[in-house]
Amino acid sequence: MNGIVARLIGARILTSALILFLVSVMILVAAQFLPGDVAQELLGQSATPEAVAGLRHAMHLDQPAPLRFLEWLMDAARGRFGNSLVNGNPVSSLIGDRLRNTAVLAAITAAVSVPLSLAAGVAAAILRDRPLDRILSLVSIALVSVPEFLVATLAVLLFAVKLRWLPALSSVSNTHSWTGFMRAYALPVMTLACVICAQMFRMTRAAVIDALRAPHVEMALLKGASRSRIVLRHALPNAVGPVANAVALSLSFLFGGVIIVEVIFNYPGMAKLTVDAVSTRDMPLLQACALIFSAGYLALVSLADIAAILSNPRLRHP
């Protein structure tokens, strides 16, 4: 069994590496369709064609795109992402603080969302078709239906403009006290948690309901076992795999939602840096940011697949 699981995990890792390569190629191809380049962006609209051509030659932008991509790919394989074309600083130094800020935002969102949604999902599954289950299901459907940008806009209008409780922009420079820290992260975390909690709640509820329908759970019920014993000893241990799968899949949605949230709240994270790289056509920085986002997403999806394989023996023999 261990050999089969190791082979499946190895296949997932190889597939992830291939997907990362394809993502890099797609970014290169997509960048060719963007109007202008970094030389034009730096010199402005009033620059002469000779000046733009000279800067392109100095930046080696006049070389064929496949050759530049091959050089970047070989450096990236050795852990070097080159220098930014805009300011000349190493890409790794530009990404360092931004990656930490995004990791802090994602960690706080996960710390809030996971316990809350798991507790609500288990409670709704145990009290299925009761008023609490109906209310939680209705709220989750409403939250899933609303996009992140609308949740963020409504939160700003309510808590920043109308009530004036929280700042509309999230500034990590004012987080020297707990009060400043809470105020800076309140609206971004609230926006991300709304969508993540709703998705995680629904998948957790479905996994626990399936576990409660298992024959051995019904046998325990017929033997007169208490509800708490049935849930804690028989249902939840069998639902751990699907729930872990649900948690990993839900957290992977953070990589999509964080882009919108960081832009709306002007949060200095990786997503904001990626948007800035696109606007300045800074290809080394853009490719590095996209590669990190893709690697993070693939890591969470792979964890979800591995959790599903470990919890369901039928998936070990596809």
Side-chain angles (χ1 to χ4, degrees), residues 191-278:
T191 303
L192 288 172
C194 282
V195 180
I196 299 299
C197 281
Q199 295 170 345
M200 207 180 303
F201 161 79
R202 295 192 61 78
M203 288 190 282
T204 302
R205 176 181 177 274
V208 176
I209 287 176
D210 286 342
L212 289 173
R213 288 173 175 169
H216 70 280
V217 175
E218 294 181 357
M219 180 62 69
L221 182 64
L222 292 175
K223 287 183 177 179
S226 64
R227 179 179 290 273
S228 60
R229 181 180 177 83
I230 290 174
V231 173
L232 297 176
R233 296 290 301 275
H234 299 286
L236 285 183
N238 292 300
V240 167
V243 169
N245 184 283
V247 171
L249 283 177
S250 299
L251 292 180
S252 65
F253 285 102
L254 277 175
F255 290 93
V258 76
I259 296 177
I260 301 171
V261 168
E262 287 188 3
V263 172
I264 290 178
F265 294 106
N266 198 29
Y267 183 81
M270 280 286 296
K272 185 71 166 51
L273 185 65
T274 305
V275 174
D276 294 340
V278 172

